[in-house]
């Protein structure tokens, strides 16, 4: 299985798996030892192009996953909240985030918002930047956000010591656009032939981008796309499903593998949404910060963490299910996540009206027992296949 | 249980809010429009200047909790697909709407406009997404930036002012068919500032020994008018001026607050409390404190509708800017280090013996980081802390035995420290 980039599927997956297993974030420490700068970005979305433009590594912090035994992180949070901030703080206490020159936390939800305060109280000398994303979709929202992007750029430049030019920003937006395009192509291939792009494998390869420099990740995705296109894999008798609700805290890879073993082929998902966010490329002609601001306000996906003034999110889910020819929808959500869970009634109603079956699942990034998921997903997949046969 | 006892301020508060609920219920028939909005960062002076009727879904939810109706509404919302682990205020409110929208004793009118004042809580956006779906009402959006860096910047203020001017006011003009009248707004702001002066004196009265008020349990009654529909009215000014006099009389006589079970006896412990109360067990919780001789001398919950004791006043000379500053300055919009500094100040200024966090499962805005807040207050202010957990209006999460045990151990620790 040799591709034109002289990398095999096994090699790509092995590299992605190694990065996935790097719970203690040694990759970041090595990058730092080599003289590089690192800016951590919390989910769901931060315009990491600004970090890349400054020559720093944007590290997408997705928590510790099942490999991290959270000991100290729990002490700072009450019981009824999701797992992500616990593992992030635990990583901080262990020193795994010492490599960060800056942490950028977006206004995804109140958990992350308050995490900025926890961070400041625990580590007053470590810079943290709160990015208040606009909830408005008009000129006021653009203007407010544009000012924040300018502040973010100034802070990134300050901590990295870099002078960031307009060309640097354009180059970084170009790389991010390439990544979006490749992810889009992988998404299309998966819809056409789910067996060619297994969801768990794709997730590993996408997740590698959390720790790789964007340019390197683009190369990895190019190789992976080529391999997926050219490697014959057997078709499976599976149910096509769409997965929603995983835009922030990530389910462990075991969760996705369990879905596959239970007979579900995930043909669309919102896993690691922040790495792509926009369905279309960001404009390369406009002044870069203007382009990023306008893109966020006008082109963002209907993610649960953005206010949906027009009430489009339920219809968008139905459209996505139809576009991906999904037979059913898995509404997955991290436990205690108000952002994802409060959407459920409206999404369920829209799916039901459209005649699209759905099932609800909850997870935590450190879940290790997938018995209930296997049971639920297996029953759902069987039912979907049965309906398909009857139809 | 003995009948609930109340001081005069509480009785008058109830009558005022009752009258408002009745007025709101009649709004449709009398040709007035109803606007739903949230307590933190509410623009009530602006709403009054348009003669619309404000309704606060959190208040409706907490009142449902106090009269033990919330559990039924929560089940209703869960039947409609809501998860167990989300904010119970939202579920209570949504469940009530689905069940036919019968409010506390009165019919809560349907909204003509949803004024989404997004101050200090991301769940507010989700809440009004749900209500917009149920009521099909238009939304006026006011995004209030978070004070993550511990200060209000010009950029933040400008953004809020621009939204009030370009979105909220036009939405109210469309709703009512009236032009915005800045002089009416100024007049309401002037009245707000007067009520805020008197209200702040009531808050400060807890510095006295014994404290004439309970600044948490008792204060939730006193804040009713100023946090909700009546700030900016002459009625509220009169209410707070009389309340100030009433509290002053109690203080001079060396009397403490009136609890639901009668006047409080000896005040053995002066406490600062962080977090909202449990409404379904409100009386029970207060009794646990008062029976043990614990009076609350300062609380953060009573600052969610405005931080007047740190000097903020609505300002008729800067009408839109002062509305913006009000929204930006509410307690849940403060960073955790700001909240810590405030609590530390309360412990010092009010000579508190201890600090209690009442952490409610529902609320991430308040809750995330509270264990660290507790630890830091203990370390910096040198007083013991206590962590209690329950919920706002979901009674499944209140355990009397658990709360009692923790509170008792905490108060014993204070006693032992004194003896040492
Ligand atoms: S998983 Fe949900 S609640 Fe947790 S940080 Fe992410 S958006 Fe917030
Ligand atoms: S999360 Fe907290 S602040 Fe937000 S609506 Fe619920 S109780 Fe209120």
């Amino acid at each position: 299985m040799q591709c034109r980039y002289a990398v095999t599927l096994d090699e790509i997956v092995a590299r992605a798996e190694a990065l996935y297993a790097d719970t203690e974030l040694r990759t970041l420490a090595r990058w730092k030892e080599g003289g590089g700068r690192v800016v951590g970005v919390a989910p769901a979305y931060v315009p990491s192009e600004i970090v890349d433009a400054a020559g720093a590594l944007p590290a997408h912090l997705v928590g510790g996953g099942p490999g991290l035994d959270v000991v100290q992180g729990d002490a700072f949070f009450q019981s009824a909240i999701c797992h992500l901030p616990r593992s992030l703080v635990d990583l901080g206490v262990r020193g795994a985030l010492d490599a960060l020159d800056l942490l950028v936390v977006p206004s995804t939800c109140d958990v992350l918002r308050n995490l900025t305060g926890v961070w400041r109280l625990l580590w007053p000398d470590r810079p943290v930047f709160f990015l208040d994303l606009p909830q408005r979709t008009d000129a006021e929202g653009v203007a407010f956000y544009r000012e924040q992007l300018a502040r973010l750029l100034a802070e990134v430049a300050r901590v990295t010591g870099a002078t960031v030019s307009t060309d640097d920003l354009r180059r970084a937006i170009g790389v991010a656009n390439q990544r979006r395009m490749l992810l889009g192509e992988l998404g299309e291939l998966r819809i056409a032939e789910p067996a060619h792009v297994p969801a768990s494998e794709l997730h590993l390869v996408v997740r590698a981008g959390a720790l790789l420099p964007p340019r390197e990740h683009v190369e990895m995705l190019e190789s992976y796309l080529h391999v997926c296109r050219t490697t014959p894999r057997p078709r499976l008798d599976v149910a096509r499903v769409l997965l929603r609700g995983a835009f922030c805290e990530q389910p462990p890879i075991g969760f996705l593998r369990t879905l596959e073993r239970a007979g579900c082929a995930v043909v669309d998902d919102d896993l690691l949404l922040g790495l792509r966010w926009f369905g279309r490329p960001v404009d390369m002609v406009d002044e870069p910060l203007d382009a990023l601001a306008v893109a966020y306000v006008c082109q963002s996906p209907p993610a649960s963490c953005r206010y949906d003034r027009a009430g489009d999110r339920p219809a968008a889910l139905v459209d996505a299910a139809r576009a991906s020819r999904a037979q059913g929808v898995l509404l997955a959500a991290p436990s205690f996540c108000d952002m994802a869970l409060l959407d459920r009634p409206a999404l369920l109603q829209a799916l039901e009206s459209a005649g699209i079956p759905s099932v609800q699942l909850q997870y935590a990034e450190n879940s290790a027992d997938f018995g209930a998921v296997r049971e639920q997903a297996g029953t759902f997949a069987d039912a979907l296949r049965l309906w398909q046969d009857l139809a | 249980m003995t009948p609930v006892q109340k001081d005069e301020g509480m009785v008058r508060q109830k009558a005022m809010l009752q009258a408002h609920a009745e007025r709101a219920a009649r709004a449709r028939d009398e040709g007035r429009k109803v606007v739903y909005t949230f307590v933190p960062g509410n623009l009530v002076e602006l709403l009054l200047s348009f003669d619309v009727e404000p309704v606060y879904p959190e208040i409706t939810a907490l009142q449902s909790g106090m009269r033990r109706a919330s559990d039924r509404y929560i089940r209703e919302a869960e039947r409609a697909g809501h998860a167990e682990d989300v904010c119970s205020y939202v579920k209570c409110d949504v469940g009530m709407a689905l069940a036919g929208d019968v409010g506390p004793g009165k019919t809560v009118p349907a909204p003509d406009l949803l004024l989404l004042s997004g101050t200090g809580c991301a769940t507010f956006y989700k809440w009004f997404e749900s209500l917009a779906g149920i009521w099909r009402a238009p939304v006026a959006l006011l995004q209030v930036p978070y004070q993550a860096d511990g200060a209000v910047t010009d950029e933040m203020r400008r953004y809020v002012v621009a939204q009030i001017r370009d979105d909220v006011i036009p939405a109210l003009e469309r709703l009512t068919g009236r032009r915005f009248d800045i002089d009416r707004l100024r007049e309401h702001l002037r009245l707000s500032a007067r009520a805020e002066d008197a209200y702040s004196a009531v808050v400060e009265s807890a510095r006295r020994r014994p404290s004439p008020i309970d600044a948490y349990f008792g204060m939730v009654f006193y804040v009713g008018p100023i946090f909700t529909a009546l700030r900016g009215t002459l009625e509220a000014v009169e209410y707070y001026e009389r309340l100030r006099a009433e509290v002053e009389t109690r203080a001079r006589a060396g009397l403490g607050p009136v609890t639901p079970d009668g006047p409080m006896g000896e005040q053995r412990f002066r406490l600062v409390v962080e977090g909202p109360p449990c409404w379904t067990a409100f009386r029970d919780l207060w009794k646990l404190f008062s029976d043990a001789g614990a009076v609350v001398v300062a609380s953060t919950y009573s600052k969610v509708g405005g931080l007047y004791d740190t000097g903020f006043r609505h300002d008729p000379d800067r009408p839109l800017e002062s509305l913006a500053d009000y929204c930006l300055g509410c307690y849940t919009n403060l960073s955790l280090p700001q909240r810590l500094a405030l609590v530390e100040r309360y412990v010092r200024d009010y000579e508190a013996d201890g600090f209690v966090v009442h952490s409610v499962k529902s609320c991430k805005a308040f809750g995330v980081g509270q264990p660290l807040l507790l630890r830091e207050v203990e370390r910096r202010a040198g007083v013991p802390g206590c962590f209690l957990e329950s919920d706002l209006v979901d009674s499944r999460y209140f355990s009397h035995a658990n709360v009692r045990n923790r509170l008792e151990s905490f108060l014993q620790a204070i006693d032992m420290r004194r003896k040492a």
Side-chain angles (χ1 to χ4, degrees):
Chain A
M1 280 190 278
Q2 196 78 13
C3 88
R4 67 195 164 112
Y5 298 95
V7 187
T8 64
L9 176 62
D10 290 347
E11 283 166 344
I12 296 169
V13 173
R15 183 152 187 234
E17 269 176 342
L19 287 164
Y20 179 81
D22 182 15
T23 307
E24 301 275 348
L25 303 174
R26 297 206 176 84
T27 310
L28 304 185
R30 278 197 297 276
W31 176 268
K32 200 67 190 284
E33 281 155 20
R37 298 289 188 169
V38 185
V39 174
V41 301
Y45 168 76
V46 168
S48 52
E49 289 91 333
I50 290 178
V51 178
D52 188 29
L57 174 68
H60 296 260
L61 302 176
V62 289
L68 183 78
D69 189 13
V70 171
V71 181
Q72 304 184 70
D74 277 340
F76 305 106
F77 301 101
Q78 75 278 39
S79 44
I81 61 163
C82 63
H83 203 267
L84 180 72
R86 304 169 194 282
S87 65
L88 288 181
V89 167
D90 206 86
L91 287 169
V93 174
R94 285 160 186 256
L97 299 178
D98 286 356
L100 299 191
D101 293 289
L102 174 69
L103 170 65
V104 184
V105 181
S107 55
T108 307
C109 68
D110 294 330
V111 175
L112 286 174
R113 181 197 80 165
N114 284 17
L115 179 69
T116 55
V118 169
W119 186 271
R120 282 211 167 99
L121 290 176
L122 289 174
W123 300 293
D125 300 329
R126 293 197 201 170
V128 55
F129 186 98
F130 178 71
L131 182 69
D132 221 341
L133 295 161
Q135 295 287 14
R136 305 191 66 85
T137 48
D138 55 15
E140 273 151 20
V142 173
F144 171 69
Y145 186 45
R146 174 66 178 72
E147 282 172 343
Q148 298 223 45
L149 292 182
R151 280 204 304 117
L152 175 61
L153 176 59
E155 182 62 359
V156 169
R158 186 186 72 78
V159 299
T160 57
T163 308
V164 185
S165 68
T166 301
D167 283 348
D168 292 332
L169 284 164
R170 283 222 174 91
R171 178 199 52 77
I173 292 175
V175 173
N177 280 345
Q178 261 181 294
R179 171 152 67 187
R180 285 182 196 110
M181 190 190 73
L182 288 161
L183 292 173
E185 286 181 38
L186 279 162
E188 278 165 26
L189 180 60
R190 179 164 62 156
I191 289 170
E193 284 295 344
H196 286 208
V197 195
S200 58
E201 186 184 282
L202 175 65
H203 180 60
L204 280 174
V205 175
V206 175
R207 190 161 166 162
L211 294 179
L212 286 177
R215 182 71 255 169
E216 255 182 71
H217 191 224
V218 162
E219 283 163 15
M220 183 190 247
L221 290 172
E222 279 174 342
S223 303
Y224 181 64
L225 178 62
H226 178 77
V227 172
C228 288
R229 278 189 174 139
T230 52
T231 307
R233 302 201 216 200
R235 277 213 170 149
L236 302 168
D237 175 25
V238 287
R240 297 170 64 97
V241 297
L242 178 147
L243 178 84
R244 272 292 178 280
F247 57 91
C248 185
E249 179 172 318
Q250 295 299 290
I253 197 71
F255 176 91
L256 296 173
R257 287 179 178 148
T258 302
L259 295 182
E260 287 168 341
R261 282 187 206 120
C264 293
V266 178
V267 289
D268 184 10
D269 64 61
D270 60 354
L271 295 156
L272 286 169
L273 187 61
L275 273 176
R276 51 195 147 116
W277 197 258
F278 305 114
R280 287 184 278 145
V282 174
D283 189 286
M284 296 279 288
V285 179
D286 285 354
E287 192 280 325
L289 296 190
D290 283 348
L292 286 169
V294 170
Y296 185 82
V297 169
C298 305
Q299 282 173 232
S300 283
S304 298
C305 51
R306 287 197 74 223
Y307 173 55
D308 179 20
R309 190 169 191 169
D312 288 340
R313 194 179 298 123
L317 176 60
V318 170
D319 289 348
R322 288 189 175 137
S324 60
R325 289 183 279 118
Q327 294 161 265
V329 170
L330 304 175
L331 290 175
S335 298
F336 303 110
C337 176
D338 268 20
M339 296 296 106
L341 291 169
L342 282 167
D343 277 348
R344 284 209 169 156
L347 298 182
L348 286 168
Q349 205 179 26
L351 291 169
E352 200 184 312
S353 309
I356 300 171
S358 63
V359 68
Q360 303 176 52
L361 304 169
Q362 280 195 39
Y363 64 83
E365 59 169 15
N366 65 338
S367 305
D369 178 2
F370 302 110
V373 174
R374 185 169 25 246
E375 186 72 38
Q376 267 182 293
T379 311
F380 188 57
D382 289 346
L384 290 177
R385 280 181 295 204
L386 188 66
W387 288 327
Q388 176 88 349
D389 292 346
L390 292 176
Chain B
M1 244 189 218
T2 53
V4 177
Q5 299 199 35
K6 290 185 169 165
D7 64 25
E8 197 201 314
M10 292 170 187
V11 172
R12 280 188 297 119
Q13 178 264 16
K14 186 171 179 199
M16 283 166 77
L17 294 195
Q18 183 78 24
H20 169 257
E22 283 165 15
R23 207 165 53 233
R26 293 194 309 270
R28 273 269 154 83
D29 296 340
E30 295 173 359
R32 277 173 294 115
K33 302 291 184 185
V34 173
V35 178
Y36 280 19
T37 194
F38 293 110
V39 169
N42 70 67
L43 303 177
V44 67
E45 295 83 357
L46 185 64
L47 299 181
L48 292 175
S49 78
F50 279 96
D51 281 326
V52 297
E53 214 55 74
V55 168
Y56 298 84
E58 304 113 297
I59 303 295
T60 317
L62 75 85
Q63 287 174 336
S64 298
M66 281 180 115
R67 63 189 179 98
R68 307 279 173 115
S70 51
D71 285 345
R72 188 163 59 83
Y73 296 144
I74 287 169
R75 296 305 159 271
E76 190 76 40
E78 288 175 357
R79 267 196 297 278
H82 274 293
E84 192 180 321
D85 290 327
V86 296
C87 174
S88 58
Y89 268 0
V90 181
K91 281 192 291 185
C92 180
D93 189 49
V94 166
M96 196 177 77
L98 295 175
D101 203 33
V102 176
K106 294 284 151 213
T107 301
V108 176
D112 298 297
L113 176 73
L114 299 167
L115 169 49
L116 203 180
S117 53
T119 292
C121 169
T123 298
F124 284 161
Y125 293 97
K126 312 300 294 179
W127 190 339
F128 270 20
E129 277 178 6
S130 299
L131 288 195
I134 292 172
W135 294 114
R136 305 277 159 211
V139 180
L141 174 62
L142 181 66
Q143 180 183 6
V144 176
Y146 178 57
Q147 283 200 47
D149 297 331
V152 173
T153 63
D154 288 344
E155 176 190 311
M156 291 155 96
R157 188 178 295 112
R158 259 201 319 272
Y159 185 42
V160 178
V161 167
Q163 295 175 80
I164 297 175
R165 191 188 55 222
D166 302 338
D167 194 339
V168 179
I169 290 177
L172 288 165
E173 287 182 330
R174 280 193 300 277
L175 181 72
T176 59
R178 288 183 175 191
R179 296 294 303 274
F180 168 54
D181 180 346
I182 196 159
D183 292 325
R184 283 198 70 190
L185 174 62
R186 284 186 210 276
E187 186 48 32
H188 289 298
L189 292 170
R190 196 168 289 118
L191 291 170
S192 288
R194 279 178 59 193
E196 288 155 7
D197 281 343
Y199 164 75
S200 297
V202 173
V203 173
E204 298 279 328
S205 73
R207 290 173 188 251
R208 314 273 274 269
R209 279 176 188 267
S211 170
I213 61 166
D214 185 287
Y216 183 55
F217 299 107
M219 191 59 91
V220 302
F221 294 92
Y222 303 151
V223 295
I226 206 162
F227 275 17
T228 61
L230 296 155
R231 195 180 67 229
T233 65
L234 194 56
E235 207 183 343
V237 174
E238 286 164 3
Y239 173 78
Y240 286 104
E241 288 179 347
R242 270 178 73 181
L243 180 64
R244 174 167 58 185
E246 177 194 333
V247 166
E248 183 53 36
T249 308
R250 241 181 2 237
R252 264 195 256 117
L255 297 174
V258 177
T259 79
D261 295 286
M264 187 178 176
E266 187 195 354
Q267 295 183 1
R268 296 187 54 234
F269 304 100
R270 294 168 63 82
L271 305 177
V272 172
V273 175
E274 142 84 13
C278 171
W279 300 108
T280 48
F282 183 81
R283 185 173 174 182
D284 197 6
L285 192 60
W286 192 352
K287 191 165 161 48
L288 283 171
F289 277 67
S290 61
D291 280 357
V295 66
V296 182
V297 289
S299 68
T300 56
Y301 178 66
S302 59
K303 313 296 164 9
V304 291
L307 263 171
Y308 303 111
D309 59 334
T310 56
F312 171 80
R313 294 290 178 272
H314 284 90
D315 182 355
D317 295 330
R318 304 169 52 245
L320 299 193
E321 289 77 9
S322 95
L323 283 175
D325 284 348
Y326 162 71
C327 295
L328 288 157
C330 289
Y331 180 74
T332 43
N333 206 46
L334 303 185
S335 69
L336 216 51
Q338 283 175 295
R339 287 168 56 188
L340 172 61
L342 189 71
V343 170
E344 244 189 290
R345 205 201 87 189
Y346 285 158
V347 169
R348 194 182 57 241
D349 290 359
Y350 289 80
E351 297 175 340
D353 304 305
F355 173 55
V356 176
V357 172
H358 182 252
S359 188
V360 292
K361 177 178 181 285
S362 280
C363 187
K364 276 86 179 174
F366 255 106
V368 173
Q370 276 176 331
L372 178 61
L373 192 69
L374 183 84
R375 196 185 81 178
E376 287 300 299
V377 171
E378 286 181 320
R379 193 171 68 80
R380 297 180 190 203
V383 293
C386 171
F387 201 80
L388 306 176
E389 282 183 284
S390 72
D391 190 46
L392 294 163
V393 289
D394 190 337
S395 70
R396 287 174 290 193
Y397 298 101
F398 181 80
S399 157
H400 177 92
N402 191 301
V403 169
R404 189 195 55 218
N405 291 345
R406 287 199 190 188
L407 190 64
E408 277 176 6
S409 319
F410 164 64
L411 297 176
Q412 276 166 13
I414 296 179
D415 253 344
M416 273 157 56
R417 194 183 259 234
R418 280 178 184 153
K419 284 174 191 145

